[in-house]
Amino acid sequence: TLFEAGIWGCLRGALGDGPSLHGCAGATLLSLTGEGYGVTTPGSEEALFAALSAELGLLFALSPEFSLRPALGALVPLRRPTFAIHEVGAIHRPNAVAARASLGFEVRF
C-alpha cells in the first residue's frame, strides 16, 4: 500500500488559443506498507520516506471553471528503504527514479 502527500508549486503558460502548458515541482512524503503472504510466519513492514517530484502537463479547458489535465512526471526518493523477509533477504526496494502519468480534472474557483 502506498500513501502520498506533498506540497507542489506550479507555473502555467498559454499556448495561443489552445491548451495551457503547466509545470509543477515539489516535495512529497510517502508511506509504503508491505505485508507478506504464502509463508508460515508472514510479517509486515512499513517505511516513511521523502521524495522530490516534478511533472509537465497540459490543461484543456472544458468550460471557464473546468479543465482536463493530463500530465507526465517523475519522482526521485531521497531514501530508498529495503523490504526484506527473514532468512530470505531483500524482496523490494523503490526505484531510484519513478515515472508517473496522471489524468484528472482541474476546478477553478
Side-chain angles (χ1 to χ4, degrees):
T1 305
L2 178 65
F3 179 76
E4 175 183 338
I7 297 175
W8 286 50
C10 298
L11 295 174
R12 180 180 303 169
L15 298 175
D17 293 334
S20 297
L21 181 67
H22 76 272
C24 300
T28 303
L29 190 61
L30 299 117
S31 173
L32 183 61
T33 305
E35 187 173 318
Y37 62 91
V39 294
T40 55
T41 55
S44 63
E45 284 195 54
E46 188 173 318
L48 186 65
F49 58 102
L52 301 176
S53 48
E55 76 174 24
L56 187 61
L58 296 172
L59 288 168
F60 294 96
L62 303 175
S63 73
E65 296 85 20
F66 296 99
S67 295
L68 182 64
R69 186 181 178 272
L72 295 174
L75 182 133
V76 179
L78 300 178
R79 182 177 72 85
R80 295 172 52 208
T82 300
F83 286 77
I85 295 177
H86 181 66
E87 297 182 9
V88 173
I91 57 168
H92 177 73
R93 185 173 186 209
N95 292 334
V97 177
R100 308 174 69 144
S102 64
L103 177 63
F105 289 97
E106 182 174 292
V107 180
R108 287 181 291 284
F109 297 98

